[in-house]
Amino acid sequence: MKDYKVVFFDAYGVLKNSSGLIPGIEGTFNYLKEHNIDYYILTNDASRGPKSLAQYYIDEGLTSVTHDKIISSGMLATEYLRLKVKHGTVAYLGTGESAHYLQDSGLQTLPISNMDVNDVKHVNALVFLDDEGFDWHHDIPKMVNLLMKRNIPSIVANTDKSYPVSDKEVGIAIGSIANMVEDITGRNFIKFGKPDAQMFIFAYEHCQKAKEVGRESILMVGDTLFTDIMGGNKFGIDTALVLTGNTLPENASDRIKQFGIIPDYVCDSAVID
Amino acid sequence: MKDYKVVFFDAYGVLKNSSGLIPGIEGTFNYLKEHNIDYYILTNDASRGPKSLAQYYIDEGLTSVTHDKIISSGMLATEYLRLKVKHGTVAYLGTGESAHYLQDSGLQTLPISNMDVNDVKHVNALVFLDDEGFDWHHDIPKMVNLLMKRNIPSIVANTDKSYPVSDKEVGIAIGSIANMVEDITGRNFIKFGKPDAQMFIFAYEHCQKAKEVGRESILMVGDTLFTDIMGGNKFGIDTALVLTGNTLPENASDRIKQFGIIPDYVCDSAVID
Amino acid sequence: MKDYKVVFFDAYGVLKNSSGLIPGIEGTFNYLKEHNIDYYILTNDASRGPKSLAQYYIDEGLTSVTHDKIISSGMLATEYLRLKVKHGTVAYLGTGESAHYLQDSGLQTLPISNMDVNDVKHVNALVFLDDEGFDWHHDIPKMVNLLMKRNIPSIVANTDKSYPVSDKEVGIAIGSIANMVEDITGRNFIKFGKPDAQMFIFAYEHCQKAKEVGRESILMVGDTLFTDIMGGNKFGIDTALVLTGNTLPENASDRIKQFGIIPDYVCDSAVID
Amino acid sequence: MKDYKVVFFDAYGVLKNSSGLIPGIEGTFNYLKEHNIDYYILTNDASRGPKSLAQYYIDEGLTSVTHDKIISSGMLATEYLRLKVKHGTVAYLGTGESAHYLQDSGLQTLPISNMDVNDVKHVNALVFLDDEGFDWHHDIPKMVNLLMKRNIPSIVANTDKSYPVSDKEVGIAIGSIANMVEDITGRNFIKFGKPDAQMFIFAYEHCQKAKEVGRESILMVGDTLFTDIMGGNKFGIDTALVLTGNTLPENASDRIKQFGIIPDYVCDSAVID
């Protein structure tokens, strides 16, 4: 790591898992501080705002993880709305906490559960934020019917398909629900999150404010070939795959060969003693 | 129609719509009877058994539509289970009425809402029957976790993505939910329903019992290019597109050209005075 | 095997490979004869007719493999043309030998290399037969332009993506070329070959002529999860995966789990001493 | 247009077509100059270098189109190689002129036609540049076999599927050939070109060097919903669809609704008198 000036970390499977922080990961943060290496956490998570996401690490004892270290895919949805949706109401799927990402847009916000599908003329955008906070059976079909009535931009603030809820079980992420609605309606949604380049450029521009670095001085550390490694590679930064999450030690080399997604490094974990 | 010995009808958009029977459709059934043309209704519907599906037509006055005239995709799921799953329990998504299709299989049946995801060793198959009868938010993730614990055949008894619930609104069909679970898990499900050839061969074998006919004497009448017409064409029977359902009069010819799915006939409706 | 009355074999990777017949496979055919088990060879191969395909086995000493034992995907293309394309010219990609499949259709045949893209009004169908026999650089774009001028049925007589040409190298099969043209044009092609049910039903109807058997008495033996095993399972017959071809012994169990395509048996090879 | 400080133009279908420059387009460039509006041409074209691409416009009388106004997807491939492939040989599909994009990388370049597939240990990357300059029948299978022997990054420098060669005919672009090889091998390629955000960010960074502008001051003008408009929208800039190329006046509004890709403006052409 010491050859790099900035490290981008994935959160889940790298820094934490369903039991809490990865044991020993504080050593890594100490190392970064000692060697004056900057870092950011890039997460496909729009369920909570950066402050709330950072608070988790602070509560767990990683006090250096302040909110400005968090780059979440939800922040790209905020930027999109600011640039492209000038007025009207934005309907959303997600909790009130996830709606944080919409508040700065200057638009009226409308949780999907409160939307009357017969009164949607004022709805000018639809945002998929989180898989919690609405009634799936009732509200997902409402999305489909909204889109049959209104040809409006639909923004997906997290492209992940699933997320771990325990050691052996996963939840269905909002990205999967968005894919289903996209497939049913035939529309093309605007999707934010790794591996998409826009997530990396957002982090890149963010880190330039602290110190100017070239892409050759940035390392992406992640546990998932299809998001962290594929996205990092395409953006032109070096990539390290860790085996504490989605990619299992027993089939890491097979999967790298099968999919042709090639990390620059493969490490057991992101822990530095 | 008089050039054919057997007609296969799609149900929704051809014989009925969200308001009831297509006005005048009884004339078509009279015509078929007069000209001694046999017919079957091929439907991607596993929400109810053939008797229950037939009862709808009888209640509406089409008394000739007996249960042996109904060929539903659910019947293929029944046959699959009989041939390929010899013992154990089959978990299912759907109502109790849809579970009709599992009862003849000799397997124990288990509605997904009653399944304990920590006790699934006896579950040897999973069947997607209907979008009603379970709690989406709670039970769809259970499907994903079942499949992470058990590598078992997963059968989709209706490949439709959506279905009309009123003149202007649709519901999400179980086929879309199955596609989402398939995408999340990476598994390959066994799918039954038009346009798949197996649906047509099932109907074809069925109609041979009444009278022997070649494929050149069968006409498929449907409202949907991607199921009725594509499937009928591939199976080698003639196809007629009607414009009373999914395909709108104003863009029928554009869609035929855009997708290259070419019916032998295009008609306003299936009604014969 | 002795529990079955009929065995369907895949050809490549099961009976033969790039070096010739799988050593010892004649023992299997002796066993079948002794036990009065019927068999058929189901192959996604439209490059040559059944007689020519059978001759290979006869030349190699398997004299019982007569042409009526061969079920090739090309035979389904022949049937489609007979049933659905009544007149005009059928253009094709493939060798003169592959055009065997078009000769019985009663249609004029036109190799793509001889087609003038400015004179295509008489062309009523397009068939993808083989990857040899035409100039890729010149003739594949001609296919695209033909389809822009004529909205005609396009039939793919072999859905395989690649085929082995030696121990370590593969060729690109016509199925891949067809997929590319389909993607460019946005049209939906009519595709024949395993795992599609139509291939299995064709073989099934064929074998009923010799002796009447139920699906529970048929075994499919193949080396490829996505064609032989997936197709056999869906059709409702038992399936055996052999490890002499596409599926390697070292990752067979991982791939079965990854893809959820589950053979009833896994065997080192189809050889019976 | 006068509300914007910078305009991004697509080339084909907007500024030129198969007959040459769009008549009257010089008026647009005069208008831009008068109003001090900067512009760039964003093209999915890696067949020739920026100087050669610019020369076309100069030869046609648009003398202001210098090479620094051209942003081609090939330039992203150059950057990728510089950042991520440190040594060895890069094999490529394309003409010698397209290989321009590889020369600055410091790597050895090897046209695919000269590659011996039995001697590929030194090949560390593969780049798809252009559909000309190699023997399709011979060299495309070589790509597949190279990738079976070497798990190396594969870069696609143009994601377009086809391109017009005359008023009524198209050619097959290298993007389609790359998709076919990707599908056969199961590998995940690194793809550059609109609608991908990386193309837009590259242009954006480029234009900041001339004058600092925010995204709200940039307009993308294009003829293709799936590349120009979808990419521009996602990047957060305004978009104008012109009807002089891929999107036809008679079905523009239907396609916008069908696909849910919504331009901010729809104009007959990019011509300003």
Side-chain angles (χ1 to χ4, degrees):
Chain A
M1 274 197 201
K2 66 181 174 189
D3 296 338
Y4 298 92
K5 291 181 185 163
V6 176
V7 178
F8 291 168
F9 288 106
D10 178 37
Y12 213 95
V14 175
L15 304 179
K16 60 179 179 171
N17 62 27
S18 59
S19 310
L21 287 185
I22 299 275
I25 199 70
E26 62 278 7
T28 306
F29 285 88
N30 291 338
Y31 181 92
L32 294 170
K33 195 173 181 183
E34 276 169 38
H35 291 75
N36 200 27
I37 301 170
D38 207 359
Y39 71 90
Y40 296 90
I41 299 172
L42 273 68
T43 177
N44 285 0
D45 190 339
S47 69
R48 289 174 295 164
K51 277 188 188 155
S52 177
L53 289 168
Q55 195 60 44
Y56 170 83
Y57 298 95
I58 293 168
D59 290 348
E60 295 284 328
L62 287 180
T63 52
S64 73
V65 183
T66 47
H67 71 92
D68 57 308
K69 292 295 185 193
I70 308 282
I71 308 288
S72 94
S73 51
M75 296 160 77
L76 294 166
T78 304
E79 187 174 67
Y80 177 88
L81 292 172
R82 183 180 66 77
L83 286 165
K84 292 283 292 181
V85 182
K86 314 284 160 130
H87 58 272
T89 295
V90 52
Y92 69 92
L93 287 92
T95 61
E97 199 165 8
S98 69
H100 163 95
Y101 288 108
L102 313 177
Q103 282 156 10
D104 298 336
S105 66
L107 299 165
Q108 292 284 330
T109 62
L110 177 63
I112 200 68
S113 49
N114 292 353
M115 188 185 80
D116 174 358
V117 82
N118 293 311
D119 177 23
V120 294
K121 279 190 190 160
H122 59 299
V123 178
N124 283 343
L126 166 62
V127 185
F128 294 82
L129 289 166
D130 193 15
D131 60 294
E132 300 283 342
F134 58 95
D135 174 349
W136 288 25
H137 196 172
H138 190 253
D139 293 334
I140 301 177
K142 256 165 104 174
M143 295 292 84
V144 174
N145 289 309
L146 168 62
L147 292 175
M148 291 177 71
K149 290 178 181 179
R150 297 281 296 150
N151 190 17
I152 53 176
S154 303
I155 300 101
V156 185
N158 170 3
T159 49
D160 282 357
K161 292 180 180 176
S162 64
Y163 59 94
V165 291
S166 76
D167 192 21
K168 289 178 184 162
E169 294 189 15
V170 300
I172 293 178
I174 190 69
S176 284
I177 293 170
N179 284 347
M180 181 173 70
V181 176
E182 195 179 32
D183 186 44
I184 293 169
T185 59
R187 300 286 171 79
N188 289 269
F189 293 176
I190 293 160
K191 298 175 181 181
F192 295 115
K194 294 171 286 178
D196 187 67
Q198 215 149 331
M199 183 84 173
F200 287 88
I201 195 68
F202 193 83
Y204 182 68
E205 288 179 349
H206 199 81
C207 81
Q208 300 299 322
K209 293 172 194 165
K211 62 176 168 187
E212 205 166 303
V213 289
R215 294 189 190 193
E216 59 280 359
S217 304
I218 305 177
L219 177 70
M220 173 78 218
V221 181
D223 71 319
T224 308
L225 288 171
F226 276 95
T227 55
D228 309 312
I229 306 304
M230 192 156 84
N233 280 346
K234 179 156 174 251
F235 189 62
I237 62 179
D238 283 354
T239 52
L241 178 73
V242 295
L243 306 178
T244 43
N246 266 328
T247 308
L248 302 176
E250 58 264 34
N251 55 25
S253 68
D254 178 56
R255 292 293 187 268
I256 290 169
K257 204 177 159 203
Q258 185 184 0
F259 299 129
I261 304 171
I262 311 160
D264 295 289
Y265 313 99
V266 179
C267 313
D268 288 339
S269 80
V271 172
I272 300 176
D273 294 326
Chain B
M1 272 196 202
K2 65 180 174 190
D3 296 337
Y4 299 92
K5 293 181 185 162
V6 176
V7 179
F8 291 168
F9 288 107
D10 179 34
Y12 213 96
V14 176
L15 304 179
K16 58 178 181 173
N17 63 26
S18 60
S19 310
L21 287 186
I22 300 276
I25 200 71
E26 61 279 8
T28 306
F29 285 88
N30 292 337
Y31 181 93
L32 293 171
K33 196 174 179 183
E34 276 169 37
H35 290 76
N36 198 27
I37 301 170
D38 205 359
Y39 70 90
Y40 295 89
I41 300 172
L42 273 68
T43 176
N44 285 359
D45 190 338
S47 68
R48 289 175 296 163
K51 277 187 189 156
S52 177
L53 289 167
Q55 194 61 45
Y56 170 84
Y57 298 96
I58 293 168
D59 290 349
E60 296 285 327
L62 288 179
T63 51
S64 73
V65 183
T66 46
H67 70 92
D68 57 308
K69 291 294 184 195
I70 308 282
I71 307 288
S72 94
S73 51
M75 295 160 77
L76 294 166
T78 304
E79 187 174 66
Y80 178 88
L81 292 172
R82 183 180 67 76
L83 286 165
K84 293 283 292 182
V85 182
K86 313 285 159 130
H87 58 272
T89 296
V90 51
Y92 70 92
L93 287 92
T95 60
E97 200 166 7
S98 70
H100 164 95
Y101 289 108
L102 313 177
Q103 282 156 10
D104 298 336
S105 67
L107 300 165
Q108 292 284 330
T109 61
L110 178 63
I112 200 67
S113 48
N114 292 353
M115 188 186 79
D116 174 359
V117 81
N118 293 311
D119 177 23
V120 294
K121 278 189 190 163
H122 58 300
V123 178
N124 282 345
L126 166 62
V127 184
F128 293 82
L129 289 167
D130 192 16
D131 60 294
E132 299 285 341
F134 58 95
D135 175 348
W136 288 25
H137 197 171
H138 189 253
D139 292 335
I140 301 177
K142 256 164 104 173
M143 294 293 83
V144 175
N145 289 309
L146 167 62
L147 292 176
M148 291 178 70
K149 291 177 182 180
R150 298 281 297 150
N151 190 18
I152 53 176
S154 303
I155 300 102
V156 186
N158 170 2
T159 50
D160 281 357
K161 292 179 181 177
S162 63
Y163 59 95
V165 290
S166 78
D167 192 22
K168 289 177 184 163
E169 293 189 17
V170 300
I172 293 179
I174 190 69
S176 284
I177 294 171
N179 283 347
M180 180 173 71
V181 176
E182 194 180 31
D183 186 44
I184 293 169
T185 59
R187 300 286 170 81
N188 289 269
F189 293 176
I190 292 160
K191 298 175 181 180
F192 295 115
K194 295 170 286 178
D196 188 67
Q198 214 148 333
M199 183 83 172
F200 288 88
I201 195 68
F202 192 83
Y204 182 68
E205 288 180 350
H206 200 80
C207 81
Q208 299 298 323
K209 292 173 194 164
K211 63 176 166 186
E212 205 164 303
V213 289
R215 295 189 189 191
E216 59 282 357
S217 303
I218 306 177
L219 177 69
M220 173 80 218
V221 180
D223 71 320
T224 309
L225 288 171
F226 277 96
T227 54
D228 308 314
I229 306 306
M230 191 157 85
N233 280 347
K234 182 160 172 244
F235 189 62
I237 61 179
D238 282 356
T239 52
L241 179 72
V242 297
L243 307 178
T244 44
N246 265 329
T247 308
L248 302 175
E250 58 264 34
N251 56 24
S253 68
D254 178 57
R255 292 293 187 269
I256 289 168
K257 204 177 158 203
Q258 184 183 359
F259 300 129
I261 303 172
I262 311 159
D264 295 288
Y265 313 99
V266 180
C267 313
D268 288 339
S269 79
V271 171
I272 300 175
D273 293 327
Chain C
M1 275 197 198
K2 66 181 173 191
D3 296 338
Y4 298 92
K5 291 180 186 162
V6 176
V7 179
F8 290 167
F9 288 106
D10 178 35
Y12 213 95
V14 176
L15 305 179
K16 60 178 180 171
N17 62 26
S18 60
S19 310
L21 287 185
I22 300 277
I25 199 71
E26 61 279 7
T28 305
F29 285 88
N30 291 337
Y31 180 92
L32 293 171
K33 195 174 181 183
E34 275 169 37
H35 291 77
N36 200 26
I37 302 169
D38 206 359
Y39 70 90
Y40 296 89
I41 299 172
L42 273 69
T43 176
N44 285 1
D45 190 339
S47 69
R48 289 174 296 163
K51 277 187 190 157
S52 177
L53 289 167
Q55 194 62 43
Y56 171 84
Y57 297 97
I58 293 168
D59 290 349
E60 295 285 328
L62 288 179
T63 52
S64 73
V65 183
T66 46
H67 71 92
D68 57 307
K69 293 295 185 193
I70 307 283
I71 308 289
S72 94
S73 50
M75 295 160 77
L76 294 166
T78 304
E79 188 175 64
Y80 177 88
L81 292 172
R82 183 180 65 78
L83 287 165
K84 293 282 292 181
V85 182
K86 314 283 157 127
H87 57 272
T89 294
V90 51
Y92 69 92
L93 288 91
T95 59
E97 201 167 5
S98 68
H100 163 95
Y101 289 108
L102 313 177
Q103 282 155 9
D104 298 337
S105 66
L107 300 165
Q108 292 284 330
T109 61
L110 178 62
I112 200 67
S113 48
N114 292 353
M115 188 185 80
D116 173 359
V117 83
N118 293 312
D119 177 22
V120 293
K121 278 188 190 163
H122 59 301
V123 178
N124 282 344
L126 167 61
V127 185
F128 294 81
L129 290 167
D130 193 17
D131 59 294
E132 301 283 342
F134 58 96
D135 174 349
W136 288 24
H137 197 172
H138 190 253
D139 292 334
I140 301 177
K142 254 163 106 174
M143 296 292 83
V144 175
N145 288 309
L146 168 62
L147 292 175
M148 291 177 71
K149 291 177 182 179
R150 298 280 297 149
N151 190 18
I152 53 175
S154 303
I155 300 102
V156 185
N158 170 2
T159 50
D160 281 357
K161 292 179 180 175
S162 64
Y163 59 93
V165 291
S166 76
D167 191 23
K168 289 178 184 162
E169 294 189 15
V170 300
I172 293 179
I174 190 70
S176 285
I177 294 170
N179 284 346
M180 180 172 71
V181 176
E182 195 180 32
D183 186 44
I184 293 169
T185 60
R187 301 285 171 80
N188 289 268
F189 293 176
I190 292 162
K191 297 176 181 180
F192 296 116
K194 294 170 287 178
D196 187 67
Q198 214 149 331
M199 183 82 173
F200 287 89
I201 195 67
F202 192 83
Y204 182 69
E205 288 179 350
H206 199 81
C207 80
Q208 299 299 322
K209 292 173 194 164
K211 63 177 168 187
E212 206 166 300
V213 289
R215 294 190 189 191
E216 59 281 357
S217 303
I218 305 177
L219 177 70
M220 173 78 217
V221 180
D223 70 320
T224 309
L225 287 171
F226 277 94
T227 55
D228 309 312
I229 306 304
M230 191 156 87
N233 281 344
K234 179 155 176 250
F235 189 62
I237 62 179
D238 282 356
T239 52
L241 178 73
V242 296
L243 307 178
T244 44
N246 265 329
T247 309
L248 302 176
E250 57 265 33
N251 57 24
S253 68
D254 178 56
R255 291 294 187 268
I256 289 169
K257 205 177 159 203
Q258 184 184 1
F259 300 128
I261 303 171
I262 312 160
D264 295 289
Y265 313 98
V266 179
C267 313
D268 289 339
S269 80
V271 172
I272 300 175
D273 293 327
Chain D
M1 272 196 200
K2 65 181 175 190
D3 296 338
Y4 298 92
K5 293 181 184 161
V6 176
V7 179
F8 291 168
F9 289 106
D10 179 35
Y12 213 97
V14 176
L15 305 179
K16 59 177 179 174
N17 62 26
S18 60
S19 310
L21 287 185
I22 300 276
I25 199 70
E26 61 279 7
T28 305
F29 285 87
N30 292 337
Y31 180 93
L32 294 171
K33 196 175 180 181
E34 275 169 37
H35 291 77
N36 199 27
I37 302 169
D38 206 359
Y39 70 91
Y40 296 89
I41 299 171
L42 274 68
T43 177
N44 285 0
D45 190 339
S47 68
R48 289 174 295 164
K51 277 185 189 158
S52 176
L53 290 167
Q55 194 62 43
Y56 170 83
Y57 298 95
I58 293 169
D59 289 349
E60 296 284 328
L62 288 180
T63 52
S64 73
V65 183
T66 47
H67 71 91
D68 57 307
K69 292 295 185 194
I70 308 281
I71 308 288
S72 94
S73 51
M75 294 160 78
L76 294 165
T78 304
E79 188 176 65
Y80 177 88
L81 292 172
R82 183 181 65 77
L83 286 164
K84 293 284 292 184
V85 181
K86 314 285 158 126
H87 59 272
T89 295
V90 51
Y92 70 91
L93 286 92
T95 60
E97 200 166 5
S98 69
H100 163 95
Y101 289 107
L102 313 177
Q103 282 156 10
D104 299 337
S105 66
L107 300 165
Q108 293 284 329
T109 61
L110 177 64
I112 200 67
S113 50
N114 292 352
M115 189 186 79
D116 174 359
V117 82
N118 293 310
D119 176 23
V120 293
K121 279 190 189 161
H122 59 299
V123 178
N124 282 344
L126 167 62
V127 185
F128 293 81
L129 289 167
D130 192 16
D131 60 293
E132 300 283 342
F134 57 96
D135 175 348
W136 288 25
H137 196 172
H138 190 253
D139 293 334
I140 301 177
K142 255 164 105 173
M143 296 291 83
V144 175
N145 289 308
L146 167 63
L147 292 175
M148 291 178 70
K149 291 178 181 178
R150 298 281 297 150
N151 190 18
I152 52 175
S154 302
I155 300 101
V156 185
N158 171 2
T159 50
D160 282 357
K161 291 179 181 176
S162 63
Y163 59 94
V165 291
S166 77
D167 192 22
K168 289 178 184 162
E169 294 189 15
V170 300
I172 294 180
I174 190 69
S176 285
I177 294 171
N179 283 347
M180 180 172 71
V181 176
E182 194 179 31
D183 186 44
I184 294 169
T185 59
R187 300 287 170 80
N188 288 269
F189 293 175
I190 292 160
K191 297 175 181 180
F192 296 116
K194 293 171 286 178
D196 188 67
Q198 214 148 331
M199 183 83 173
F200 287 87
I201 195 68
F202 192 83
Y204 183 68
E205 289 179 349
H206 199 81
C207 80
Q208 299 299 323
K209 291 172 193 164
K211 62 176 167 187
E212 205 165 302
V213 289
R215 294 189 190 193
E216 60 281 357
S217 304
I218 305 177
L219 177 69
M220 173 79 218
V221 180
D223 71 320
T224 308
L225 287 171
F226 277 95
T227 55
D228 308 313
I229 306 305
M230 190 157 86
N233 281 346
K234 180 156 175 249
F235 190 62
I237 62 179
D238 283 355
T239 52
L241 178 72
V242 296
L243 307 177
T244 43
N246 266 328
T247 308
L248 302 176
E250 58 263 35
N251 56 23
S253 69
D254 177 57
R255 292 293 187 269
I256 289 169
K257 205 178 158 202
Q258 184 184 1
F259 300 129
I261 304 172
I262 311 159
D264 295 288
Y265 313 99
V266 180
C267 312
D268 288 340
S269 79
V271 171
I272 300 175
D273 292 328

